[in-house]
Amino acid sequence: MIPAAKDKTLFTPGPLTTSLDVKQAMLRDAGSWHFEFNAKVKAIRERLLDLAGVSQAEGFECVLLQGSGTFGVESVFSSAIPESGKVLVLANGAYGERMVAMLECLRIDHSIYRTPEDTPPDPSAIAGLLAEDARITHVAMVHCETTTGIMNPIEAVGQVVAKSGRQFIVDAMSSFAGVEIDFKQACIDFLITSANKCIEGVPGFSIVLLRRSCLESNPTQPRCLSLDLMAQLKGFEKNGQFRYSPPTHSLLAFERALEELEMEGGVAGRSQRYQENHRVLMEGMRALGFRSYLPDACQSYLITSFHFPRDDRFTFDVFYRHLSERGMIIYPGKISQVDLFRIGSIGRLFVADMQALVAAIEATLKELEMVP
Ligand SMILES: *Cc1c(COP(=O)(O)O)cnc(C)c1O
């Protein structure tokens, strides 16, 4: 077996560094139609509802869906928006724009409220947009926009959306389980996350937590067979199974990842560790002279974007390769107007890892004879 120590540490927005136990949990062949496996799937769905602080008694369901997080977001649009529906998308980064691309593909009517990549949407502006356009049935937004690491205000927006009688869709891919999310405060009807972000599992499926009545109230035919959320839910209810081949190994890893999350003290414990990671990263990078991109007020503790050093000779590629040789993987920036790189504080990372990264960045700059 390849020793885990050989893997490079991933300071990325996901897939993330996972624990050895999570990886080892995958070294099994599970019978995908077998009752033991079905029981695990059922338990996982229940634990996810618990984690979200909602229950079936309150009308919530958890649907697991094969594929990466994007598949989960697309499944909500393709399953939940009626023929006559219209979605208002709040966008301030690539994942908001990906929602727009999905709606274009699915030929779903939509409008877009864009704010700059370093600016959260303004809830009162949204109230205005909803008052102006009675055709809007749903509002969709990204919680932590992983493009930059900005935290968007889902609670303030959700209350505006609920007050106006619309349904609220939240892409919480990179925040769920790493940040406390109050479903009721934020009036969330659909939340999408995936196995390989803050729950620290491996890739393989997405997770949709949804208010059942919102799905049932859609009279329209689903737009896609494999991404049909209601059919997927009914499949679980009928015989405990995924409709098509389940990602058996990722589910076994996920079961272990949920145990580790519990051992860490749930979302409260995990968010503490991530906040510590982020604090150490920020202090270290600022001490080296780096500038972060976002205003502190909307900077998440999950992902941080830093400006390139001012030195004209700096290239991300060379910087990246030097860090990779030291066993550390960072991420390029994702916005066009400013040159940035990104560092994640999430995954199986601890303060010592963040300190090691800062030290490696310092050593790399020395090698390259650069100052930030
Ligand atoms: C990771 C991520 C996604 C999904 O990306 P996949 O590559 O499809 O898993 C969607 N939205 C946000 C905000 C993300 O961070």
Side-chain angles (χ1 to χ4, degrees):
M1 212 183 101
I2 306 163
K6 271 202 158 168
D7 289 341
K8 295 180 198 244
T9 314
L10 306 176
F11 297 90
T12 62
L16 306 167
T17 290
T18 55
S19 76
L20 184 58
D21 282 349
V22 164
K23 288 183 275 276
Q24 279 175 342
M26 279 191 293
L27 303 177
R28 311 287 302 274
D29 296 311
S32 68
W33 294 43
H34 187 57
F35 55 83
E36 281 170 6
F37 181 73
N38 294 345
K40 285 181 192 290
V41 171
K42 184 164 188 279
I44 286 172
R45 291 175 51 230
E46 283 165 4
R47 283 168 89 162
L48 284 165
L49 286 170
D50 276 352
L51 204 55
V54 293
S55 65
Q56 285 182 313
E58 297 163 302
F60 281 90
E61 299 286 355
C62 171
V63 183
L64 309 179
L65 190 71
Q66 299 92 328
S68 79
T70 302
F71 293 61
V73 180
E74 196 151 10
S75 77
V76 171
F77 289 137
S78 66
S79 310
I81 316 294
E83 201 89 56
S84 58
K86 179 171 181 180
V87 184
L88 171 64
V89 180
L90 317 185
N92 56 1
Y95 292 101
E97 297 301 335
R98 190 175 293 177
M99 287 177 162
V100 174
M102 287 172 193
L103 293 166
E104 277 167 9
C105 267
L106 292 164
R107 296 180 184 79
I108 294 174
D109 195 10
H110 58 279
S111 53
I112 309 158
Y113 166 43
R114 281 197 181 89
T115 50
E117 279 142 325
D118 59 357
T119 310
D122 169 11
S124 62
I126 297 158
L129 292 169
L130 293 175
E132 265 165 35
D133 189 348
R135 288 177 308 153
I136 294 171
T137 51
H138 294 73
V139 176
M141 76 186 289
V142 179
H143 188 202
C144 173
E145 179 49 89
T146 318
T147 310
T148 55
I150 193 171
M151 260 328 229
N152 286 318
I154 53 169
E155 292 196 357
V157 174
Q159 289 184 9
V160 166
V161 174
K163 216 172 271 168
S164 72
R166 274 48 170 237
Q167 294 180 20
F168 191 32
I169 301 167
V170 178
D171 169 350
M173 213 67 69
S174 58
S175 57
F176 186 78
V179 176
E180 304 268 10
I181 294 176
D182 187 332
F183 260 66
K184 282 148 217 164
Q185 267 313 104
C187 309
I188 297 170
D189 297 304
F190 296 88
L191 179 143
I192 308 102
T193 188
S194 79
N196 58 278
K197 300 243 166 136
C198 296
I199 304 177
E200 301 185 358
V202 305
F205 61 98
S206 61
I207 299 154
V208 184
L209 296 159
L210 57 89
R211 206 185 288 275
R212 190 184 184 108
S213 60
C214 292
L215 204 52
E216 278 171 342
S217 64
N218 176 13
T220 311
Q221 286 254 321
R223 293 172 176 80
C224 181
L225 175 72
S226 57
L227 299 181
D228 182 345
L229 275 178
M230 200 63 210
Q232 187 86 347
L233 176 59
K234 287 193 170 145
F236 288 126
E237 287 173 344
K238 188 171 128 218
N239 52 19
Q241 290 168 13
F242 279 73
R243 282 185 302 155
Y244 312 120
S245 293
T248 43
H249 296 79
S250 358
L251 284 155
L252 294 177
F254 194 75
E255 184 185 34
R256 176 62 199 166
L258 284 176
E259 280 165 21
E260 290 185 358
L261 176 58
E262 208 160 284
M263 278 153 42
E264 196 173 359
V267 180
R270 181 146 301 176
S271 71
Q272 277 278 289
R273 172 162 60 87
Y274 289 172
Q275 287 178 60
E276 273 294 285
N277 286 350
H278 178 251
R279 189 181 57 73
V280 167
L281 173 72
M282 281 303 239
E283 282 174 11
M285 292 296 277
R286 282 181 174 156
L288 292 180
F290 280 96
R291 295 169 302 131
S292 56
Y293 165 70
L294 291 170
D296 286 348
C298 59
Q299 169 69 59
S300 71
Y301 52 81
L302 306 164
I303 319 288
T304 313
S305 297
F306 292 98
H307 287 279
F308 281 10
R310 277 173 261 242
D311 196 314
D312 285 341
R313 297 167 303 154
F314 180 89
T315 65
F316 178 76
D317 203 45
V318 170
F319 184 58
Y320 177 89
R321 282 168 188 278
H322 273 73
L323 290 175
S324 164
E325 272 159 30
R326 293 184 150 88
M328 298 179 200
I329 301 294
I330 62 165
Y331 232 52
K334 208 174 183 170
I335 69 176
S336 40
Q337 310 89 319
V338 199
D339 285 327
L340 303 171
F341 61 87
R342 287 179 290 169
I343 296 178
S345 328
I346 54 181
R348 212 69 199 152
L349 301 178
F350 298 87
V351 160
D353 297 300
M354 307 316 284
Q355 287 164 336
L357 175 66
V358 172
I361 289 175
E362 183 173 20
T364 296
L365 291 176
K366 278 218 180 85
E367 239 165 59
L368 300 173
E369 297 177 341
M370 276 181 201
V371 289

